Amino acid sequence: MKLLNITRCFFLILSTGVIVLSGCENRLDLAPITNLTDATFYRTAEDAKAALGACYGTINNPDVFHDLVASDDAIPFLTGDAARPLVWRYDITPETNYIRFYSGAYTSINRCNIVISRLPDIDMDDQLRARYIAEAKFLRALAYLNLVRFYGGVPIVTEPTESAENLEVARSSAEEVYALIEADLQEAELILPPKYTGGDVGRATSNAAKALMARMYLFRAGTEAGSPFWQQTVQKTREVIEEGSFGLYDTFAEAFALTARGGLENIFEIQYLTDVKGHGQGRGYGVRGAPIYPGGGAGIARPTASLYNLYTEADQRREVTFITSYTFNGQTTNLSITDPNPANAISFQKLWDRTAQTNGGEGTSHPIIRFSDMLLMYAEAQNEVNGGPDASAYDALNRVRTRAGLDPVDGLDYQAFKEAVWLERRLEFPFENIRWFDLVRTGRLIEAVRAENSFNRNALIQPFHVLLPIPQADMDNNPLLEQNPGYQQ
Amino acid sequence: MKLAVFLTLITVLQASADSFGQVITLNVRNLPLPEAMERIQQQSGYLFFLKGEALANMRVSANIRQATLQQAMTSLTRDLGLDWVIRDKTIILRRSNRDKEPAFNPADPFQERIVTGRVTDDAGAPLEGATVTVKGANIATTTDAQGNYQIKLPDGASALVFTIVGYESQEQSIGNQSAIHVSLTASISDIDEVVVVGYGTMKRGDLTGAVSSVRESEIRATPIVALDRAMQGRVAGVNVTTNSARPGGTTTVRIRGTGSVNAGNEPLYVIDGFPTGNLNSINVNDIESMEVLKDASATAIYGSRGSNGVILVTTRRGRAGKSVVSYDGYYGQQSVRRKIPLLNARQFAEFVNEANVNNGAAPYFDGSAADRPLPETLGKGTDWQDAIMRDAPIQDHQLGVLGGSEKSRYAISLGYYGQEGIILRSDFNRYSLRANLDSDVSDRLKVGLSAQAAYTHGNAAETESGRNTSSDNLIPATLNYSPTLPIFNEDGSYNTYTGPLNGLGADNPYAMANEYTNQSSLIRVLSNAYAELEIIDGLKLRSTIGADLLANKASSYTSKLVLAGASLGGRASVASAQTINWLNENTLTYDKQFGDRHSLNAMIGYTYQQSDYETATANANNFNDDFALYHNLGSGSTLVAPSSSANEWRLISYIARINYGFDDRFLFTLTGRRDGSSRFGPNNKFGFFPSGALAWKLKNESWLRDVNALSDAKLRVSYGLSGNQEISNYQYVAGLSSIDYVLGGQLYIGNAPGIIPNPDLRWEKNAQFDVGLDLGFFGNRLSFTGDYYHKTTSDLLFSVGVPTSSGFGTMLQNIGKVENQGIELALNADLVGRGNFKWTSSFNITFNKNKVLALDKRQEFRTGSDAVISNTGLNPILLRVGEPLSNFYGYEMDGIFQTEAEVAASAQPAAKPGDIRYVDQNGDNVINDEDRAIIGNANPTSFGGWNNTFGYKGFDLNVFIQGVFGNEILNYGTFDQLNMTGGNNLSIRALDRWTPDNPSNAIPRANASGGSRILSSFQVEDGSYIRFKTITLGYTFPTAWFHKLSISQLRIYVSGQNLFTITDYTGYDPEVNRFGNSSISQGIDYGVYPSAKTFLFGLNLKF
């Protein structure tokens, strides 16, 4: 009897278990607990904001490393990773590391494409929707502008990637890419406000769209004397300068202080928050091993003497751009531009946020287009348009010079003025991803790289190096791609 | 054939009648002697005893009528050349060869001295039917159901011999004892041994698949922290590599090669029926046996988790009988196995000067300052390895009791394992408690429980750290820090130096060892309850429900006295995680013999497993004082954003298996499992994994039955599919990643898809063919198992490269194919088993070949970016169709430039004599990425082990040798220790550097501006080694000494681990795998905890 009870009991428990558990194959349909999926997303205005936020989270701004060492501004840390000096020596193949702009740009582009394609189906305020889409188009144009300047014509992708289908896209011509950039920026210019307030400060504005168009036109004008792009550059820079939302701080140092975030000078910038979301560029390019940086300086690259020595004593930009000594625990270390030991090297400090207390937690804004770039672009283009500097060109150049503590210039001819602007650009923009493009567009890259030969650089630069190679992984994965000349095997 | 005689046949029959008929009649013709004796026994009432197979096979003819026993026996044995005597109501037959017998007086056979005792197995369970013989006198008895015996001794009897089939015989001297208890150990290579297979057990002789066992004695032979180490060198086909010798460290286990590129390659561990992991928290001493399932026939029952092999772990359970209390323990000392020989202060100073001069600078050590003395004034300086290393104790204690009644049985144990590391402030401790209970509720219903609770905690030294830099990894810091620097400044503070002798930015190693705290702890409860109901005879329903609960905590603090902490004002972190994993399994098994020839075992089942994981992390920086470590995050003035996450997976499975045996000659196994996993896409959630196997017991064929030397022969063939689901959760769905961004000075969170969704994502498929042969000779004193296998893993779960213009770099797809084929050989021999001296030996070796058959669209590509070390962005691994996995890819070193002329004629015009020359593979006169080639491979071509146990009287000696051959190691340490810059300390090999006077072709010149981390064959070394893994000498005391203390066994031993290693490898240890957790980046060494050699003393005690 007892046995029977036990047996019954056992069956009862077991069958209950089986009933509970069987027929529950839908229990296998698990979705992530911590993250949303696209099945439930893209429904509300908040979703739209977050989707656009992802684009701001990946604003395509190339690592300054390439701009610094592939030009004549800096020398990489030599006794480390062999791949870094390869960029500096122009021993570049499609597999060279540290040139990762290509994939980074498309990550940004895909996220912008999602916003552009998904937002029309979201139930939200029409004006806000139009603005969000215009912001996404601005950010997409920014990414394509970097791509086309680095690689020439690249695949044009304007739809979001949602499956494994149609991932192989052939390269378009540079003209076609520029046409897309221009169209995107024109839409952004029309729709976006000139400036924001409060929590929106830092979003793309009509001024930013104009400024980016100016940058594109200037690059396209190249070395061609009668190019219509000079005039277009003049027009777009003038519009920004005259609109009045942006201007210059009184001192150069203010432009890179924490307080410059969303301020007067950065027409477009990537914002950071100290110790919450930082960029780490101060530590990364800081004095190697120096304990003044949380985690110690990494010394990725150090400035060349040819750059450092260009600054005159009066130039306030020198002490903002470079660190020449530091004090830690009461002990002062003086740095040198020639000492081969990177622990004693004068280093960059333009974006260094001294208030950061976590490794890489530096919160200064990373400028993408500053107002001084408007002035110098205007001066250069106006000089080209008129075959020599007029008063407005001088005024633009001298606004930048006097703010840096230098005397205004005057009485220059066309060529001298052009070179004065180029020099000013070099002094004004180190560490801002401008120098290499300037050298390329003005046709001076090879000469400048060969001239900067300290630390036995012996660069293997060739004319084809004005374009970067399409990364080998993409060549492998996309049979439709053709490699840039000079890099084929 | 002398060995055949080893097979000692002992036949003892019970007395069958109370009264003796003394008159014998026997009329037989050509009857086996034992049968003839049986008839005499029936008539006389005397037992009989004959020894040896030869006697048992004798045949007799007799025509005896109404004779006395005396007359009958004399008549019967006369022609056979046998003698007989009566002793203790037993007739003993033996050959007429008295010379060999020790003296005893047949005229006085009845002595009233009696010895009693109990015979048990080594777990303390009674052995019924064991034979107890008086040595030298043919007097014998057998044990009863409780293992008890009673024997009368003749005069002069010196020792008793205990024997039973399946156990090693044992001899005990008698002395003055009146009670002699013995425990016998199971003998090796017994085909009747029961092995655990998935969801059931089987006789080894009936296996159709490739299953290897690791026995308790092998698990216990070596002091190990976790059970995976027990397989090393002992199981053919299983390659075990300790990733690092860190206390509490992990291993890489590969069964029959590497099959997967991106998914996991580790086998599935099933502990008492519970598929789980986390081996360091399982007490090794609780394990009774481990079975390694290798071929598809054996693993297919684990379906989607079987493709990397399955390891079934069975812990000890109670047995009916007297309770046995046991204590096992050891205590030992570890010391570093090998220090890497480095330059001393004076050699280093000379080197730095030369490197500077070669770079066109002035010597650094020029006597110009206190920290720049002339080299000749320097001595040995600081040996930083000595500064951070120590001799450290290791110990293990286990107290167990097992026993029970017929109805309920128990095994309970308490364990402690404690290891301090050979680096300061590193340790690992484990406290464990296990209770295994079984109860027969009725004849038909059994219930039981396996439960383990464990608490582990340890402190990790800062080795194998994430960034692998000299400032955050203690080992590179130790090897790189200049020997000219002192540990402490004069004021007692740590010396920290950031000058030119520290180009790699190392921190003071001694400070790093002392000022990093990295505590981790785990509380784990693993329990599994079962109920088994025999519904009708042979039909059993078994249901289990269990849970594996883990609570981890990891806390770290970096004090302000080390660089990494100083710049942050102290750095604290606390992370906790919990895993709740539960399992329900229900199986129905039918086991029946039909007639004489057909046997059937069929099983169906349903299982459900679910795992939920949660974690949270909090950090803070900037503390006023280091005092509170990580215990008071709130006192940090910089709070870092906290983080948390969670995930879960589920698995629903239906299983079925049929074993059919015909005539004990043919065995068939069919297995199938249908697995549904939450990890896969809606289009392919379920997968089906079938397998089939056939075994042919050749020995049972009539044409082999009479080949006496061959005692066992079986041929096995199997084929089947298994799967692999070891990828992250949620990979099929486009989960949105969180991307933070700042606008208007505020942090916001944006969302974008993190991956390209793949609704077709499905199982990785592994098809395996196996053919194996099991042979036994001379009563299985010599046994051989050989297997050939061919594994093809297809539909690889592969992070396929996609055009990055999609916005993504990779997408998880089922693409690609990898093949492994190989041969496994295992040999066990009872070489000497007679008399006082014994020698058993087992040997195994495996040859494996691995080949990539297909990748995604590419024929080859570089990978391994997860194996990044300080200041490198290398992709050291090449995947290429037609080549094995784990190829190292880089430049090929072609000696050293000796002259300017050689440089001028080369593709490296910027080089100088003394620099490394690289092979210009494509002959284009430029050395660049295009000139890289395959420069090594991490897969061994073969690996194996050789285990020897010698016994002499109470002594036992075990020598275990293990080796790996034909693999290469990518020694990233060479980037530092032979960079020849003088910016860090160097290997002693730098003394042989190239100079104009020493035209070395192996080590380049000193050059302060060199040191680029160019990956070439210069960093690749042969990783082969042969190691004397364990040497143990033990002594088991005669129980006679302790019988009053009721001790049934007492053994003491001394053991040495890692005493000798034969290898050319220049790093700490050739057994290394820095990135062991990565499927791709195998065989790389950098900043890994050094290995130890260990001496220990141990004790096994049983009551």
Side-chain angles (χ1 to χ4, degrees), chain A residues 3 6-7 10-11 14 17-18 21-39 41-42 49-54 56-58 77-86 89 91 93-98 100 102-103 106-107 110-111 114 135 155 157 161-164 167-169 198-203 261 271-273 275-277 283 288-289 291-296 326 328 341-344 357-359 456 458 460 472-474 476-479 489, chain B residues 441-445 467 498-500 503-505 531-533 535 541 543 563-564 566-568 582 584 586 606 608 610 613 621-622 637-641 644-652 654 674 676-679 685-686 730 732-753 756-757 801-809 811 813 856-858 860-862 871-875 910 926-930 932 981 1008-1014:
Chain A
L3 169 66
I6 293 165
T7 312
F10 178 69
F11 267 117
L14 188 74
V18 170
L21 294 173
S22 59
C24 55
E25 290 179 1
N26 58 359
R27 292 177 68 93
L28 296 178
D29 300 329
L30 292 182
I33 305 169
T34 49
N35 298 312
L36 300 159
T37 67
D38 64 349
F41 199 63
Y42 305 118
K49 185 180 176 189
L52 178 61
Y56 279 100
T58 47
F77 179 58
L78 292 175
T79 56
D81 182 357
R84 284 182 178 171
L86 292 182
R89 290 203 167 100
D91 187 359
T93 72
E95 288 198 48
T96 305
N97 289 308
Y98 297 106
R100 298 189 180 119
Y102 189 85
S103 59
Y106 280 110
T107 302
N110 183 53
R111 290 176 181 173
I114 290 171
E135 286 178 53
V157 181
T161 298
E162 282 162 350
S163 73
L167 299 184
E168 293 166 11
V169 182
D200 286 328
V201 171
R203 291 182 178 278
R261 179 193 296 133
Q271 295 192 351
Y272 295 91
L273 267 187
D275 293 331
V276 175
K277 179 179 167 65
R283 173 191 169 269
R288 188 163 183 85
I292 48 174
Y293 313 95
Y326 67 86
F328 186 73
N341 180 9
N344 298 328
Q357 290 178 325
T358 54
N359 185 340
N456 299 317
N458 297 322
L460 306 167
Q472 189 60 42
D474 274 88
D476 290 341
N477 292 327
N478 185 356
Q489 290 158 29
Chain B
V441 179
S442 74
D443 289 348
R444 297 255 178 216
L445 181 63
R467 291 195 304 144
T498 54
L504 295 173
E532 187 177 282
L533 178 71
I535 300 165
L541 178 65
S543 196
L563 275 182
S567 50
L568 298 172
W582 68 273
N584 168 249
N586 308 286
Y606 169 83
Y608 177 88
Q610 166 171 350
Y613 172 81
N621 296 338
N622 252 319
S637 56
T638 307
L639 300 181
V640 182
S644 69
S645 87
N647 64 56
E648 55 186 352
W649 59 263
R650 290 171 189 167
L651 197 64
I652 291 174
Y654 306 90
R674 185 168 178 266
S677 166
S678 63
R679 285 187 177 146
K685 278 241 184 289
F686 278 86
Y730 316 123
Y732 70 92
V733 64
L736 296 181
S737 306
S738 297
I739 297 132
D740 51 0
Y741 65 103
V742 179
L743 282 176
Q746 287 185 47
L747 188 76
Y748 297 96
I749 303 298
N751 290 112
I756 307 178
V802 295
T804 55
S805 51
S806 64
F808 301 91
M811 175 179 178
Q813 292 181 6
D856 52 359
K857 287 165 209 152
R858 296 168 285 186
E860 63 170 56
F861 62 95
R862 263 63 70 204
N871 286 308
T872 61
L874 305 166
N875 270 337
V926 178
I927 298 292
N928 61 14
D929 284 356
E930 312 301 333
R932 289 178 292 170
T981 62
S1009 71
S1012 279
R1013 300 198 157 197
I1014 296 168

Side-chain angles (χ1 to χ4, degrees), chain A residues 310-319 404-406 424 427:
Chain A
L310 272 183
Y311 293 86
T312 58
E313 278 304 313
D315 199 329
Q316 293 168 6
R317 291 175 296 204
R318 180 152 93 177
E319 67 177 30
L406 302 178
E424 213 53 49
L427 296 169

Side-chain angles (χ1 to χ4, degrees), chain B residues 99-116:
Chain B
D99 304 345
K100 289 184 180 172
E101 300 294 339
F104 81 96
N105 185 358
D108 186 15
F110 300 104
Q111 289 290 321
E112 282 310 303
R113 188 165 164 222
I114 293 172
V115 167
T116 58

Side-chain angles (χ1 to χ4, degrees), chain A residues 214 233-242 374 377-378:
Chain A
T233 309
V234 167
Q235 187 190 330
K236 287 296 159 194
T237 48
R238 184 186 284 145
E239 282 174 31
V240 176
I241 293 166
E242 289 177 354
M374 292 298 104
M377 283 200 277
Y378 174 83

